[in-house]
C-alpha cells in the first residue's frame, strides 16, 4: 500500500557528475538594449557588442530538471570615459557569477541558519531545489560572506526579484 508518506528514493541519489544530471530547462532572458547610460558620467552610450551568460537558477521540481537562464546582455562603450560597461544585470547575479542570487541565498541559509555541512547542503540543493552546486563553491560563498564584517547576515542577501 502506498500513501503520502511512502518513501521514494531519488533516482539521482549519489550522482556526482554534473554531466550525469538531467538536462537543464533553458529560460531565455534579455538585458540587451540599443542604448544605456554610462554608470560613471551618465552619457547615453550605444551598444557595442552582445554577449550571453549562463546562470544556474533554482530548478524545476515538477519536471525534476535543473533550470539555466541564458541571459543575453549588451555591452556599451562610453567614448567620454573610454570604458566598456555592461547592461545592468545585478538583479540576477553578481558580476562573473555562475549562479543566481537566489541559489546563493538558499545555499548560505542552509549552512548558516540550518547548520548543514557543505556536502549535505550541496545534496539538499540538488534533491529539493534541483540545482547542482559543488560543495566547495558553497564553502566559498559562506566564507566570502563572513569576510564582509563578521558572520554572514543572510537578511542582507539580495532577494529574488527575477523578471
Ligand atoms: Zn562615461
Amino acid at each position: 500500500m502506498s500513501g503520502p508518506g511512502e518513501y521514494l528514493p531519488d533516482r539521482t541519489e549519489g550522482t556526482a557528475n554534473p554531466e550525469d544530471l538531467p538536462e537543464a530547462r533553458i529560460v531565455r532572458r534579455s538585458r540587451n538594449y540599443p542604448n544605456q547610460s554610462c554608470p560613471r558620467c551618465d552619457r547615453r552610450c550605444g551598444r557595442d557588442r552582445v554577449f550571453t551568460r549562463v546562470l544556474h537558477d533554482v530548478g524545476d521540481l515538477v519536471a525534476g530538471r535543473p533550470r539555466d537562464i541564458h541571459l543575453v546582455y549588451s555591452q556599451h562603450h562610453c567614448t567620454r570615459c573610454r570604458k566598456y560597461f555592461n547592461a545592468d544585470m545585478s538583479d540576477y547575479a553578481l558580476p562573473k557569477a555562475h549562479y543566481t542570487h537566489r541559489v546563493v541565498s538558499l545555499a548560505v541559509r542552509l549552512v548558516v541558519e540550518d547548520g548543514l555541512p557543505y556536502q549535505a547542503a550541496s545534496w539538499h540543493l540538488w534533491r529539493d531545489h534541483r540545482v547542482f552546486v559543488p560543495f566547495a563553491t558553497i564553502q566559498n560563498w559562506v566564507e566570502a560572506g563572513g569576510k564582509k564584517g563578521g558572520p554572514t547576515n543572510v537578511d542582507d542577501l539580495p532577494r529574488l526579484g527575477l523578471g
Side-chain angles (χ1 to χ4, degrees):
M1 222 174 75
S2 67
E6 186 193 10
Y7 172 69
L8 297 168
D10 189 314
R11 284 182 299 108
T12 56
E13 182 151 19
T15 301
N17 296 320
E19 304 85 59
D20 297 337
L21 302 178
E23 205 182 330
R25 185 175 291 245
I26 308 298
V27 181
R28 295 184 67 82
R29 292 287 184 267
S30 176
R31 286 290 187 276
N32 183 7
Y33 307 106
N35 292 286
Q36 283 282 279
S37 297
C38 173
R40 295 171 191 83
C41 70
D42 218 30
R43 183 194 181 97
R44 294 285 284 171
C45 303
R47 178 167 52 205
D48 189 68
R49 294 177 72 181
V50 175
F51 296 100
T52 301
R53 67 190 284 208
V54 176
L55 293 169
H56 307 305
D57 195 13
V58 174
D60 180 343
L61 268 187
V62 177
R65 287 165 63 185
R67 198 171 101 112
D68 282 348
I69 296 174
H70 285 200
L71 181 57
V72 177
Y73 65 95
S74 45
Q75 186 181 69
H76 303 260
H77 183 244
C78 179
T79 48
R80 187 185 294 162
C81 301
R82 296 184 184 181
K83 299 255 188 212
Y84 288 92
F85 64 93
N86 297 330
D88 184 24
M89 301 170 273
S90 56
D91 54 334
Y92 279 100
L94 292 173
K96 293 176 183 160
H98 298 293
Y99 293 88
T100 60
H101 288 309
R102 58 178 163 185
V103 172
V104 179
S105 176
L106 266 174
V108 172
R109 278 170 189 271
L110 289 172
V111 174
V112 176
E113 289 186 355
D114 302 337
L116 290 187
Y118 296 120
Q119 264 164 324
S122 174
W123 169 244
H124 178 96
L125 284 172
W126 173 252
R127 193 195 62 189
D128 291 349
H129 302 285
R130 280 296 181 255
V131 55
F132 177 78
V133 188
F135 76 91
T137 302
I138 301 175
Q139 186 170 5
N140 288 341
W141 291 340
V142 171
E143 288 174 359
K147 269 179 218 147
K148 287 175 195 158
T152 302
N153 185 349
V154 288
D155 290 329
D156 287 344
L157 289 169
R159 299 297 163 160
L160 310 184
L162 293 180

